[in-house]
Each structure stands twice: as structure tokens, then as C-alpha cells.
Amino acid sequence: MTGWLALLGTAAGDLNARATERDRDAGWLCAWRGEDRPHASALRVDERLLANDGPACRISLVLLHENARPIADDPACIQARRAVLRDGRPGAVSVLTGDPVHLAGAITVARADRPEELLALRDDPFLRLGPGRLLDIGPGLLGSAPISLGPVVERYAGTPWPYDRW
Amino acid sequence: MIDALRPGGRVPDMELPDHMGNPRRLSELAGGDPVLLHFFRGWFCPKERQFFRRLVDLQDDAEVAYARFVSVSVEPPQVQAAFRAGLDARWTFLSDSERRYLDAFGLRETTDTVHDPYVPTCLLLAPDLTVKTTYNGYWFWGRPTMDELRRDFRALTRAAHTDWEPPGP
């Protein structure tokens, strides 16, 4: 099963949560499960992050412009993943992919009631790849998934790391 | 050491807190990859620190080769987290501070009555937790060299993937 994620102006997903940035409306974070791309803006995400009963959380969302997306196995991407494995603080993390070759971004999730996770968002390693936003997300969309410490490369082309099954 | 930890046996799917305190199961950490399951005495032992330095050198290769390391000791998670960070290790440490598996696995080091740790032991596991090789590290030279680990990982990966030989045109 594949997960999909998009930040949109309307609640268009199977799961939706209001997004705010510094208390200002930032739209809706929308998610879907399924193999086919549900929306033109949707990017693949490790499906384990999606949770209907997930709590309110804060995310670091890095979305790279289509013309500035590095190859998924670029050393800069691998070093960002290694930094995540080394520090290991977030409640959940996944890279975002839009095609089988490039890295389209990353999402790092901190549960709103976990100060150590919130603190870690300030040093999101994926921010070294491009600009990011800190967003507060309402409940019912994102859960926690302790990161599986293993390979820093994707299993299959386009499968969002850290998904770790063949 | 119990027979399940010897070559041909299958390691029980133990569940312990990791260095961050999250409950983790061994099969989940394996994630379909070959695993080095490494029982160690603790941060205080200079032989462990020497061996860990070798493993840290190998981890860059393991991370791009679909292989896993898991290290287990009786230290609490916060001690492991500090030790792990100091080593620059990026793999999972499991804490058996309650010593749940020490006797169950027959790995209690009876000659250290101060720390009551695991006997240093390395197991090379197939993705289904079947043991390929067991190294008894009570004496330092009993531990695997990095070349031996590479050979074991190569054999396990070859056995796990039917496409080891690349498909023809």
C-alpha cells in the first residue's frame, strides 16, 4: 500500500487535517492510501505515517521545486538520511517522491505533546536540501512510527524511504 | 548458549526497548534484510569500544547494501543513547536492563559479577532470523573481523535474493 500526501487549499483527501503556520491558515494537509496518484500535487509518503486516530502534531515539511529536485541517491540526500538515523528524535519521518528518480521533499512529524520531538524539528536535516515550513497539523491524519534504522537508500525506485520491506 | 543461537537455529523474536525507549521487535528491525545481532558487555569495556569502532567504519557500507546491525546490552536506554551518539553509530541499540533474555539465551557472563552483562556474541542472521554464523567474543580474537562479516553478509544476501545474478537482456 502506498501513501500520498498533498498540502491543498481544500480538504480533498481521504484523510484531511487543518494546517496552520504561526497561527495563520495554511490550508489542508490531505492524505490518501492507494496505488494510483489521487491528485496532481500528491507525493508518495511512507504509508506508516498515516493514522486516522493520529494526534495533533507539528511537522517540518520540505517541498522541493520540480526543477530543483535531486536524484534520490544523491550524496546530499543520503547524508540527510544518515543524520536522521544518527539523531533519531522525530516521531515519524518520510521522504516524499513524485517519480522513480528524484527526491521531491520530506516530512518530519513531532507529536505536539513531546518537547524533545518538537525541539528536533529545528534541526531537520532535510532543510539542507531546500526550504521548508513548520506547520501545526490537526488530529486525525499523522501518527508516530519509530524509525527503522537501516539502509539509507530506497528499496525500489520511487518507494519513499524509510519504507523497509521488499 | 542455547541451540537456537547456533548455526541453523532461529533466534527467538525478542522484544526490547530501543535506545530511545521505543518497544522494538527483532523481526521488525530485520525488515527483510540480513542482520548482525551483536550482544555486548557495555560502554565500560575497552574491547567493546574497540570492536564498535570497527563496526562504525562498516556501517556506511551496510547502509547502502540492505544490511542491518542491532546491538544489545543490559544498559538502560539513556546510557545506550549517549554511548551510541559518542560512537557516531546510526543503528539500533536494544536495552535489556531487566535482563529478560540473559539466561533465556544462555548468554550471562558469569565471570563479571559487577556488571552482570551479556557474553560478547555476534550472530549473523538471515532475514527470517535463522542463524548462519555465531562468533563467541569472550576473548577478543573470537570476534568476527570486518572481512568475515562482509563474507557472511554476502552469503546471506545471495541466499535471500533470487536476482543475485542480474537478469539477462
Side-chain angles (χ1 to χ4, degrees):
Chain A
M1 183 73 76
T2 299
W4 298 87
L5 209 60
L7 185 62
L8 302 173
T10 56
D14 295 335
L15 301 174
N16 304 283
R18 176 73 78 177
T20 56
E21 185 173 25
R22 297 182 180 179
D23 296 327
R24 301 176 68 171
D25 181 24
W28 291 85
L29 192 62
C30 307
W32 301 261
R33 292 186 177 93
E35 293 306 316
D36 298 328
R37 185 187 298 273
H39 188 279
S41 301
L43 297 170
R44 287 180 190 270
V45 65
D46 188 333
E47 188 261 345
R48 293 174 295 186
L49 268 65
L50 307 183
N52 307 31
D53 57 353
C57 56
R58 179 171 292 175
I59 65 170
S60 173
L61 185 64
V62 176
L63 292 175
L64 304 174
H65 189 275
E66 279 191 38
N67 296 330
R69 292 177 179 174
I71 293 171
D73 288 344
D74 186 285
C77 301
I78 289 180
Q79 282 306 111
R81 292 165 178 155
R82 283 177 174 155
V84 171
L85 298 188
R86 184 189 62 226
D87 299 335
R89 293 284 176 185
V93 63
S94 172
V95 304
L96 304 172
T97 59
D99 63 46
V101 177
H102 299 93
L103 191 83
I107 179 172
T108 305
V109 182
R111 287 165 284 188
D113 60 346
R114 301 290 180 100
E116 75 279 8
E117 294 180 8
L118 294 168
L119 192 63
L121 290 187
R122 293 163 58 179
D123 188 28
D124 175 4
F126 290 105
L127 288 172
R128 297 165 202 167
L129 302 175
R133 302 171 72 183
L134 279 178
L135 301 174
D136 291 306
I137 304 297
L141 183 74
L142 297 169
S144 65
I147 190 165
S148 186
L149 301 183
V152 291
V153 289
E154 273 86 0
R155 300 276 141 170
Y156 297 103
T159 305
W161 181 88
Y163 184 76
D164 62 350
R165 294 293 186 273
W166 295 103
Chain B
M1 179 191 305
I2 62 173
D3 286 343
L5 271 56
R6 299 183 190 281
R10 179 175 292 187
V11 176
D13 192 10
M14 58 181 178
E15 184 174 354
L16 289 169
D18 68 13
H19 56 277
M20 302 297 291
N22 301 306
R24 308 304 289 263
R25 188 168 282 282
L26 183 59
S27 57
E28 169 217 346
L29 294 173
D33 293 328
V35 181
L36 165 63
L37 179 60
H38 166 223
F39 296 92
F40 68 104
R41 292 186 178 110
W43 69 270
F44 54 84
C45 177
K47 298 160 194 169
E48 303 295 0
R49 296 199 297 270
Q50 176 62 19
F51 187 64
F52 267 110
R53 282 193 282 269
R54 303 271 190 257
L55 291 181
V56 167
D57 284 344
L58 191 64
Q59 74 178 333
D60 285 1
D61 289 1
E63 282 179 349
V64 296
Y66 306 111
R68 311 283 182 123
F69 298 171
V70 177
S71 294
V72 186
S73 77
V74 298
E75 295 158 314
Q78 57 268 40
V79 171
Q80 292 190 325
F83 183 42
R84 176 180 179 274
L87 289 164
D88 216 9
R90 297 187 294 267
W91 64 89
T92 306
F93 284 40
L94 294 178
S95 168
D96 191 9
S97 57
E98 296 177 355
R99 293 170 172 76
R100 289 165 51 191
Y101 295 99
L102 204 64
D103 288 323
F105 286 179
L107 289 179
R108 185 184 294 269
E109 186 165 86
T110 57
T111 49
D112 182 350
T113 56
V114 175
H115 302 97
D116 195 17
Y118 277 98
V119 175
T121 306
C122 288
L123 308 174
L124 270 295
L125 309 181
D128 66 355
L129 309 186
T130 301
V131 181
K132 177 187 183 297
T133 318
T134 303
Y135 297 93
N136 160 21
Y138 184 67
W139 290 88
F140 188 82
W141 294 124
R143 299 170 191 233
T145 66
M146 298 306 105
D147 279 346
E148 286 171 322
L149 291 182
R150 286 174 187 278
R151 290 193 187 97
D152 287 334
F153 274 129
R154 180 183 298 156
L156 286 166
T157 304
R158 186 198 303 257
H161 295 283
T162 55
D163 60 349
W164 176 266
E165 296 298 334

Short mmCIF file of all heavy atoms in Angstrom, two decimals, chain A residues 113-156:
data_model
loop_
_atom_site.label_atom_id
_atom_site.label_comp_id
_atom_site.label_asym_id
_atom_site.label_seq_id
_atom_site.Cartn_x
_atom_site.Cartn_y
_atom_site.Cartn_z
N ASP A 113 2.74 16.92 22.05
CA ASP A 113 2.98 16.81 23.50
C ASP A 113 4.36 16.23 23.81
O ASP A 113 4.61 15.80 24.93
CB ASP A 113 1.89 15.95 24.15
CG ASP A 113 1.87 14.53 23.59
OD1 ASP A 113 2.50 14.31 22.53
OD2 ASP A 113 1.23 13.66 24.19
N ARG A 114 5.27 16.20 22.82
CA ARG A 114 6.61 15.65 23.04
C ARG A 114 7.65 16.75 22.79
O ARG A 114 8.05 16.99 21.65
CB ARG A 114 6.87 14.48 22.08
CG ARG A 114 5.89 13.32 22.22
CD ARG A 114 6.11 12.59 23.54
NE ARG A 114 5.19 11.48 23.69
CZ ARG A 114 5.51 10.20 23.46
NH1 ARG A 114 6.74 9.91 23.07
NH2 ARG A 114 4.62 9.25 23.61
N PRO A 115 8.08 17.43 23.86
CA PRO A 115 9.01 18.55 23.67
C PRO A 115 10.29 18.15 22.94
O PRO A 115 10.82 18.94 22.15
CB PRO A 115 9.31 18.99 25.11
CG PRO A 115 8.18 18.48 25.93
CD PRO A 115 7.70 17.24 25.27
N GLU A 116 10.80 16.94 23.20
CA GLU A 116 12.06 16.55 22.57
C GLU A 116 11.90 16.37 21.06
O GLU A 116 12.82 16.62 20.29
CB GLU A 116 12.64 15.27 23.22
CG GLU A 116 11.96 13.97 22.86
CD GLU A 116 10.67 13.72 23.65
OE1 GLU A 116 10.22 14.63 24.37
OE2 GLU A 116 10.12 12.61 23.53
N GLU A 117 10.70 15.95 20.65
CA GLU A 117 10.44 15.81 19.22
C GLU A 117 10.28 17.19 18.57
O GLU A 117 10.76 17.43 17.46
CB GLU A 117 9.20 14.95 18.98
CG GLU A 117 9.39 13.50 19.42
CD GLU A 117 8.15 12.66 19.19
OE1 GLU A 117 7.20 13.16 18.55
OE2 GLU A 117 8.13 11.51 19.65
N LEU A 118 9.58 18.09 19.28
CA LEU A 118 9.39 19.44 18.75
C LEU A 118 10.73 20.15 18.59
O LEU A 118 10.98 20.84 17.60
CB LEU A 118 8.47 20.24 19.67
CG LEU A 118 7.03 19.73 19.74
CD1 LEU A 118 6.28 20.40 20.89
CD2 LEU A 118 6.30 19.99 18.43
N LEU A 119 11.61 19.94 19.56
CA LEU A 119 12.92 20.58 19.52
C LEU A 119 13.71 20.10 18.30
O LEU A 119 14.41 20.87 17.64
CB LEU A 119 13.69 20.26 20.81
CG LEU A 119 14.95 21.05 21.08
CD1 LEU A 119 14.63 22.52 21.25
CD2 LEU A 119 15.65 20.52 22.34
N ALA A 120 13.57 18.80 17.98
CA ALA A 120 14.34 18.22 16.87
C ALA A 120 13.94 18.83 15.52
O ALA A 120 14.74 18.84 14.58
CB ALA A 120 14.15 16.71 16.84
N LEU A 121 12.72 19.34 15.43
CA LEU A 121 12.28 19.92 14.15
C LEU A 121 13.12 21.13 13.76
O LEU A 121 13.19 21.50 12.59
CB LEU A 121 10.81 20.33 14.23
CG LEU A 121 9.77 19.22 14.30
CD1 LEU A 121 8.39 19.82 14.20
CD2 LEU A 121 9.98 18.19 13.21
N ARG A 122 13.71 21.76 14.77
CA ARG A 122 14.50 22.96 14.47
C ARG A 122 15.77 22.62 13.71
O ARG A 122 16.45 23.51 13.19
CB ARG A 122 14.83 23.70 15.76
CG ARG A 122 13.58 24.27 16.42
CD ARG A 122 13.78 24.64 17.87
NE ARG A 122 14.84 25.60 18.06
CZ ARG A 122 15.19 26.10 19.25
NH1 ARG A 122 14.57 25.69 20.33
NH2 ARG A 122 16.15 26.96 19.35
N ASP A 123 16.15 21.34 13.72
CA ASP A 123 17.35 20.93 13.01
C ASP A 123 17.03 19.78 12.06
O ASP A 123 17.68 18.74 12.08
CB ASP A 123 18.44 20.52 14.01
CG ASP A 123 19.77 20.27 13.32
OD1 ASP A 123 20.00 20.89 12.26
OD2 ASP A 123 20.57 19.46 13.82
N ASP A 124 15.99 19.97 11.26
CA ASP A 124 15.59 18.94 10.30
C ASP A 124 16.69 18.81 9.23
O ASP A 124 16.96 19.76 8.49
CB ASP A 124 14.26 19.36 9.65
CG ASP A 124 13.82 18.42 8.55
OD1 ASP A 124 14.50 17.40 8.34
OD2 ASP A 124 12.80 18.72 7.91
N PRO A 125 17.33 17.65 9.12
CA PRO A 125 18.43 17.51 8.14
C PRO A 125 17.99 17.74 6.70
O PRO A 125 18.80 18.12 5.86
CB PRO A 125 18.89 16.07 8.35
CG PRO A 125 18.45 15.70 9.72
CD PRO A 125 17.18 16.44 9.94
N PHE A 126 16.70 17.53 6.42
CA PHE A 126 16.25 17.71 5.04
C PHE A 126 16.17 19.19 4.64
O PHE A 126 16.04 19.50 3.46
CB PHE A 126 14.91 17.00 4.82
CG PHE A 126 15.03 15.51 4.86
CD1 PHE A 126 14.61 14.78 5.96
CD2 PHE A 126 15.61 14.82 3.81
CE1 PHE A 126 14.75 13.41 6.01
CE2 PHE A 126 15.76 13.44 3.85
CZ PHE A 126 15.33 12.74 4.96
N LEU A 127 16.23 20.07 5.65
CA LEU A 127 16.27 21.50 5.32
C LEU A 127 17.55 21.87 4.58
O LEU A 127 17.63 22.93 3.97
CB LEU A 127 16.15 22.34 6.59
CG LEU A 127 14.76 22.35 7.24
CD1 LEU A 127 14.82 23.04 8.59
CD2 LEU A 127 13.76 23.03 6.32
N ARG A 128 18.55 20.99 4.64
CA ARG A 128 19.79 21.25 3.89
C ARG A 128 19.58 21.06 2.39
O ARG A 128 20.41 21.46 1.58
CB ARG A 128 20.91 20.32 4.37
CG ARG A 128 21.25 20.55 5.84
CD ARG A 128 22.06 19.42 6.44
NE ARG A 128 21.92 19.43 7.88
CZ ARG A 128 22.30 18.45 8.69
NH1 ARG A 128 22.85 17.36 8.18
NH2 ARG A 128 22.14 18.53 9.98
N LEU A 129 18.47 20.43 2.03
CA LEU A 129 18.21 20.19 0.60
C LEU A 129 17.36 21.30 -0.02
O LEU A 129 17.33 21.45 -1.23
CB LEU A 129 17.49 18.86 0.42
CG LEU A 129 18.22 17.63 0.95
CD1 LEU A 129 17.35 16.39 0.81
CD2 LEU A 129 19.53 17.43 0.20
N GLY A 130 16.64 22.04 0.83
CA GLY A 130 15.79 23.07 0.27
C GLY A 130 14.94 23.70 1.36
O GLY A 130 15.00 23.29 2.52
N PRO A 131 14.13 24.70 1.01
CA PRO A 131 13.34 25.41 2.01
C PRO A 131 12.24 24.54 2.60
O PRO A 131 11.71 23.65 1.93
CB PRO A 131 12.75 26.58 1.22
CG PRO A 131 12.73 26.10 -0.19
CD PRO A 131 13.91 25.20 -0.35
N GLY A 132 11.90 24.83 3.84
CA GLY A 132 10.85 24.07 4.50
C GLY A 132 9.93 24.97 5.30
O GLY A 132 10.16 26.17 5.43
N ARG A 133 8.85 24.39 5.79
CA ARG A 133 7.88 25.13 6.59
C ARG A 133 7.58 24.33 7.85
O ARG A 133 7.52 23.09 7.80
CB ARG A 133 6.59 25.34 5.80
CG ARG A 133 6.78 26.06 4.50
CD ARG A 133 5.50 26.05 3.67
NE ARG A 133 4.46 26.91 4.20
CZ ARG A 133 3.24 27.02 3.68
NH1 ARG A 133 2.92 26.31 2.61
NH2 ARG A 133 2.34 27.82 4.22
N LEU A 134 7.37 25.04 8.94
CA LEU A 134 6.90 24.41 10.17
C LEU A 134 5.39 24.62 10.25
O LEU A 134 4.92 25.76 10.29
CB LEU A 134 7.57 25.05 11.39
CG LEU A 134 8.98 24.55 11.74
CD1 LEU A 134 9.51 25.32 12.95
CD2 LEU A 134 9.02 23.06 12.02
N LEU A 135 4.65 23.54 10.25
CA LEU A 135 3.19 23.63 10.23
C LEU A 135 2.61 22.87 11.41
O LEU A 135 3.10 21.79 11.77
CB LEU A 135 2.64 23.02 8.93
CG LEU A 135 3.11 23.64 7.62
CD1 LEU A 135 2.58 22.83 6.44
CD2 LEU A 135 2.65 25.09 7.52
N ASP A 136 1.57 23.43 12.00
CA ASP A 136 0.81 22.71 13.02
C ASP A 136 -0.35 22.01 12.33
O ASP A 136 -1.10 22.64 11.55
CB ASP A 136 0.32 23.68 14.09
CG ASP A 136 1.48 24.21 14.92
OD1 ASP A 136 2.23 23.37 15.45
OD2 ASP A 136 1.63 25.44 15.03
N ILE A 137 -0.48 20.71 12.59
CA ILE A 137 -1.46 19.89 11.89
C ILE A 137 -2.46 19.36 12.90
O ILE A 137 -2.09 18.85 13.96
CB ILE A 137 -0.75 18.71 11.18
CG1 ILE A 137 0.33 19.23 10.22
CG2 ILE A 137 -1.77 17.85 10.43
CD1 ILE A 137 -0.17 20.09 9.09
N GLY A 138 -3.72 19.45 12.55
CA GLY A 138 -4.77 18.95 13.44
C GLY A 138 -4.75 17.44 13.54
O GLY A 138 -4.01 16.74 12.82
N PRO A 139 -5.57 16.88 14.45
CA PRO A 139 -5.57 15.43 14.65
C PRO A 139 -6.24 14.68 13.50
O PRO A 139 -6.91 15.27 12.66
CB PRO A 139 -6.37 15.27 15.95
CG PRO A 139 -7.24 16.48 16.00
CD PRO A 139 -6.48 17.59 15.35
N GLY A 140 -6.01 13.38 13.47
CA GLY A 140 -6.70 12.51 12.54
C GLY A 140 -6.01 12.29 11.22
O GLY A 140 -6.64 11.85 10.26
N LEU A 141 -4.71 12.54 11.15
CA LEU A 141 -4.01 12.36 9.86
C LEU A 141 -2.67 11.66 10.03
O LEU A 141 -2.38 10.70 9.32
CB LEU A 141 -3.81 13.71 9.19
CG LEU A 141 -3.16 13.66 7.81
CD1 LEU A 141 -4.17 13.16 6.79
CD2 LEU A 141 -2.63 15.01 7.38
N LEU A 142 -1.84 12.15 10.95
CA LEU A 142 -0.47 11.65 11.06
C LEU A 142 -0.26 10.97 12.40
O LEU A 142 -0.67 11.47 13.45
CB LEU A 142 0.52 12.81 10.91
CG LEU A 142 0.50 13.51 9.56
CD1 LEU A 142 1.31 14.80 9.62
CD2 LEU A 142 1.04 12.59 8.47
N GLY A 143 0.42 9.83 12.37
CA GLY A 143 0.72 9.10 13.59
C GLY A 143 2.21 9.08 13.84
O GLY A 143 2.98 9.81 13.20
N SER A 144 2.62 8.27 14.82
CA SER A 144 4.05 8.12 15.09
C SER A 144 4.50 6.76 14.58
O SER A 144 3.74 5.79 14.60
CB SER A 144 4.33 8.22 16.59
OG SER A 144 3.73 7.14 17.26
N ALA A 145 5.71 6.72 14.09
CA ALA A 145 6.28 5.47 13.56
C ALA A 145 7.77 5.49 13.86
O ALA A 145 8.53 6.11 13.11
CB ALA A 145 6.02 5.36 12.06
N PRO A 146 8.20 4.87 14.99
CA PRO A 146 9.63 4.86 15.31
C PRO A 146 10.44 4.43 14.10
O PRO A 146 10.15 3.40 13.49
CB PRO A 146 9.74 3.85 16.44
CG PRO A 146 8.40 3.83 17.07
CD PRO A 146 7.42 4.10 15.96
N ILE A 147 11.42 5.22 13.79
CA ILE A 147 12.13 4.98 12.54
C ILE A 147 12.89 3.67 12.59
O ILE A 147 13.46 3.30 13.61
CB ILE A 147 13.06 6.15 12.21
CG1 ILE A 147 13.59 6.02 10.81
CG2 ILE A 147 14.18 6.26 13.23
CD1 ILE A 147 14.22 7.30 10.30
N SER A 148 12.86 2.97 11.48
CA SER A 148 13.59 1.72 11.35
C SER A 148 15.00 2.05 10.91
O SER A 148 15.22 2.65 9.86
CB SER A 148 12.89 0.84 10.30
OG SER A 148 13.50 -0.39 10.26
N LEU A 149 15.99 1.71 11.74
CA LEU A 149 17.36 2.12 11.46
C LEU A 149 18.03 1.12 10.54
O LEU A 149 18.46 0.05 10.97
CB LEU A 149 18.13 2.25 12.77
CG LEU A 149 17.54 3.25 13.75
CD1 LEU A 149 18.39 3.37 14.99
CD2 LEU A 149 17.37 4.60 13.11
N GLY A 150 18.08 1.44 9.30
CA GLY A 150 18.66 0.50 8.35
C GLY A 150 19.20 1.24 7.15
O GLY A 150 19.73 2.34 7.27
N PRO A 151 19.07 0.63 5.99
CA PRO A 151 19.63 1.23 4.78
C PRO A 151 19.14 2.64 4.52
O PRO A 151 18.00 2.97 4.82
CB PRO A 151 19.17 0.27 3.68
CG PRO A 151 19.03 -1.04 4.38
CD PRO A 151 18.52 -0.71 5.75
N VAL A 152 20.02 3.45 3.95
CA VAL A 152 19.67 4.85 3.66
C VAL A 152 19.24 5.03 2.20
O VAL A 152 19.14 6.15 1.74
CB VAL A 152 20.86 5.77 3.95
CG1 VAL A 152 21.14 5.84 5.44
CG2 VAL A 152 22.11 5.31 3.20
N VAL A 153 19.00 3.94 1.53
CA VAL A 153 18.58 4.02 0.14
C VAL A 153 17.21 3.36 0.00
O VAL A 153 16.81 2.51 0.79
CB VAL A 153 19.59 3.34 -0.80
CG1 VAL A 153 20.85 4.16 -0.89
CG2 VAL A 153 19.92 1.94 -0.35
N GLU A 154 16.47 3.75 -1.04
CA GLU A 154 15.14 3.21 -1.26
C GLU A 154 15.20 1.74 -1.65
O GLU A 154 16.17 1.30 -2.28
CB GLU A 154 14.42 3.99 -2.36
CG GLU A 154 13.68 5.21 -1.90
CD GLU A 154 14.56 6.44 -1.83
OE1 GLU A 154 15.75 6.32 -2.16
OE2 GLU A 154 14.06 7.51 -1.43
N ARG A 155 14.16 1.00 -1.26
CA ARG A 155 14.07 -0.41 -1.67
C ARG A 155 13.87 -0.52 -3.17
O ARG A 155 14.53 -1.28 -3.85
CB ARG A 155 12.88 -1.09 -0.98
CG ARG A 155 12.95 -1.07 0.49
CD ARG A 155 13.77 -2.22 0.96
NE ARG A 155 14.58 -1.78 2.07
CZ ARG A 155 15.29 -2.58 2.84
NH1 ARG A 155 15.31 -3.87 2.60
NH2 ARG A 155 16.00 -2.12 3.80
N TYR A 156 12.88 0.19 -3.64
CA TYR A 156 12.57 0.20 -5.06
C TYR A 156 12.50 1.65 -5.50
O TYR A 156 12.20 2.53 -4.69
CB TYR A 156 11.23 -0.49 -5.34
CG TYR A 156 11.19 -1.94 -4.98
CD1 TYR A 156 10.55 -2.36 -3.82
CD2 TYR A 156 11.80 -2.90 -5.78
CE1 TYR A 156 10.50 -3.69 -3.48
CE2 TYR A 156 11.76 -4.23 -5.45
CZ TYR A 156 11.11 -4.63 -4.29
OH TYR A 156 11.07 -5.95 -3.97
#
